[in-house]
Amino acid sequence: MRTSSALRPFSRHSRLLLVLATATVLAACSRPAPPEEPVRSVKLMTVGVGALQSSLEYSGEVRARVESRLGFRVAGKIVQRQAELGQRVKAGQVLAQLDPKDYQLAADAARAQVASATTQRDLAAADLKRYQALKDQNFISGAELERREATLKAAQATLDQARAQLSSQGNQAAYTTLVADVSGVVTGIDAEPGQVVSAGAPVVRIAQDGPRDVVFAVPEDKVAQITTGSEVAVRGWSGGSTLTGRVREVAASADAATRTFQVKVAIDAADAPALGATVYATPKALSHAGIAAIKLPTSALRQEGQSTAVWVYDPATSTVKSQVVQIATADGNDAVVAGGLTPGMQVVATGVHVLSPGQKVTVYQPKVAQAPVNKAQTAPESVAMPAVPSAPATAAAPATATASAAN
């Protein structure tokens, strides 16, 4: 009995240790509490209405109002080309030449036919004259005289035909020389000496002197806003003054490859850049400058499913909530908001990807940097030599520096 009573305290103590060990094991196996989400600091911006600054600008090219593609009117082999790319030519100047031998031979043959037809006509005329004298003496009938008259008419027709053929062959020989029919600048060479070309094939391209056009292309969603006569600002790629032009022509159909519409703007030839120069055209009809709108930096936008959203700050609870917005267009580096926000709202400007709905945040306050005091220039001067007041405006600075050095 003593032994059992002596073991009772030890048993109760063991049970207590067992309970404590079990609790410790259970506490170690349980999942730890998640850490509290940190309160993030965000930069805010107040939504307001501002004027748009950007406008639509298109790249264009300066071209001549009329560009002629000149070619030979006959086929043949090019033996000489006098025109060079970029050369200025005048009307009547020789540009290229074909081998004229075949056409000269054809002209010689036509000339021989004219000589033969002339002889036949003269012979028929002399024959008619003799028969006319015989008819006056009643030696022949009138029918015989009429046959001689018909023979003369046929010979004259043959002569006229031969002369026309000679004139045509002479023109063919002249066509072997290509001349400029207008004054302008050679903008393209499509054939070289030694090449055999067909009649009408382009050989030289000439931009005629006179009015100049700026040609650029616009997409189909903007072409309806550009009308004939509307104003377009033109500036050169390499700089220079801005020119003002008017829309002269808008293409009625889209280009088969680019699906864009070509627009031609007439500009003053005296101030126009060089032919083929790259310019930038800004149609006034497509300009949004000065229009009031709500703008946000792109750093404030985020993608929420298929929509664009921003974080709106609630000052009463210091939390943020998601707000879906509609974006109309871009204005430089800013996005133009068409709906979803009203002036006066506060939205998060940066760091939108680390926030969640209802999260508590603090407003970031930029540190105000104090103006640095340049003591390196005043302290040595005050220690090395006593301050000598030279002017009332500068007497205070050396005194302050001396006092600080003494302290």
Side-chain angles (χ1 to χ4, degrees):
M1 295 297 292
R2 292 179 181 178
T3 302
S4 60
S5 61
L7 293 176
R8 288 178 184 174
F10 177 77
S11 300
R12 287 195 296 270
H13 185 267
S14 299
R15 286 196 296 271
L16 180 60
L17 291 177
L18 182 60
V19 170
L20 292 176
T22 304
T24 303
V25 172
L26 292 176
C29 294
S30 62
R31 182 176 300 175
E36 295 184 359
E37 189 173 357
V39 178
R40 299 186 180 276
S41 178
V42 296
K43 289 184 178 180
L44 300 180
M45 65 173 296
T46 303
V47 176
V49 177
L52 300 181
Q53 302 295 331
S54 63
S55 57
L56 295 179
E57 190 174 64
Y58 299 94
S59 176
E61 181 185 0
V62 178
R63 298 181 186 175
R65 179 74 57 84
V66 179
E67 184 173 307
S68 302
R69 295 176 178 266
L70 304 182
F72 293 100
R73 299 173 65 174
V74 293
K77 178 180 179 181
I78 300 177
V79 294
Q80 190 175 5
R81 177 175 58 78
Q82 291 86 343
E84 297 293 342
L85 189 64
Q87 178 184 356
R88 176 167 292 277
V89 297
K90 297 181 179 180
Q93 183 174 340
V94 177
L95 303 178
Q97 290 177 314
L98 292 178
D99 186 0
K101 293 181 180 179
D102 292 341
Y103 297 97
Q104 290 175 353
L105 293 175
D108 293 341
R111 195 173 294 109
Q113 290 179 358
V114 170
S116 175
T118 302
T119 302
Q120 294 296 330
R121 191 275 316 267
D122 295 342
L123 180 60
D127 197 15
L128 176 63
K129 185 177 181 180
R130 288 192 299 270
Y131 275 82
Q132 183 69 42
L134 294 175
K135 177 65 176 63
D136 294 339
Q137 298 177 8
N138 294 323
F139 290 151
I140 61 172
S141 63
E144 189 67 24
L145 181 62
E146 291 177 356
R147 282 196 291 271
R148 295 300 180 270
E149 291 176 351
T151 302
L152 177 59
K153 291 180 181 179
Q156 182 63 44
T158 303
L159 176 60
D160 294 340
Q161 181 182 6
R163 286 175 177 174
Q165 187 69 20
L166 175 60
S167 178
S168 175
Q169 291 298 331
N171 290 339
Q172 296 289 316
Y175 292 156
T176 59
T177 300
L178 180 64
V179 297
D181 53 357
V182 293
S183 298
V185 179
V186 178
T187 59
I189 302 294
D190 297 326
E192 297 294 339
Q195 181 176 345
V196 177
V197 295
S198 59
V203 176
V204 178
R205 285 173 287 168
I206 296 181
Q208 297 185 15
D209 292 338
R212 296 288 186 259
D213 286 342
V214 171
V215 181
F216 61 95
V218 297
E220 58 183 347
D221 61 334
K222 299 293 189 300
V223 68
Q225 304 177 37
I226 300 179
T227 57
T228 303
S230 59
E231 186 176 339
V232 177
V234 178
R235 66 179 181 89
W237 175 81
S238 58
S241 59
T242 300
L243 306 178
T244 301
R246 298 283 178 179
V247 175
R248 185 178 65 85
E249 178 184 327
V250 180
S253 60
D255 183 83
T258 62
R259 308 307 303 167
T260 57
F261 291 79
Q262 189 179 77
V263 179
K264 295 182 179 180
V265 178
I267 58 176
D268 188 5
D271 301 328
L275 286 174
T278 301
V279 296
Y280 297 107
T282 306
K284 296 297 182 182
L286 303 180
S287 176
H288 303 296
I291 299 177
I294 296 177
K295 297 189 295 183
L296 292 178
T298 55
S299 59
L301 305 178
R302 63 186 184 86
Q303 196 69 22
E304 188 176 276
Q306 299 297 325
S307 304
T308 304
V310 297
W311 293 113
V312 177
Y313 176 73
D314 185 4
T317 59
S318 298
T319 57
V320 292
K321 65 177 181 179
S322 180
Q323 176 65 43
V324 177
V325 295
Q326 291 79 41
I327 303 300
T329 183
D331 185 51
N333 294 328
D334 296 333
V336 179
V337 179
L341 296 177
T342 57
M345 287 184 173
Q346 290 183 308
V347 299
V348 178
T350 58
V352 297
H353 60 285
V354 296
L355 301 178
S356 58
Q359 182 176 351
K360 188 175 288 292
V361 295
T362 60
V363 180
Y364 170 77
Q365 299 294 339
K367 296 181 181 180
V368 180
Q370 298 181 354
V373 179
N374 190 358
K375 296 183 179 180
Q377 298 180 0
T378 59
E381 181 180 334
S382 61
V383 174
M385 59 183 71
V388 180
S390 59
T394 59
T400 303
T402 306
S404 62
N407 293 332

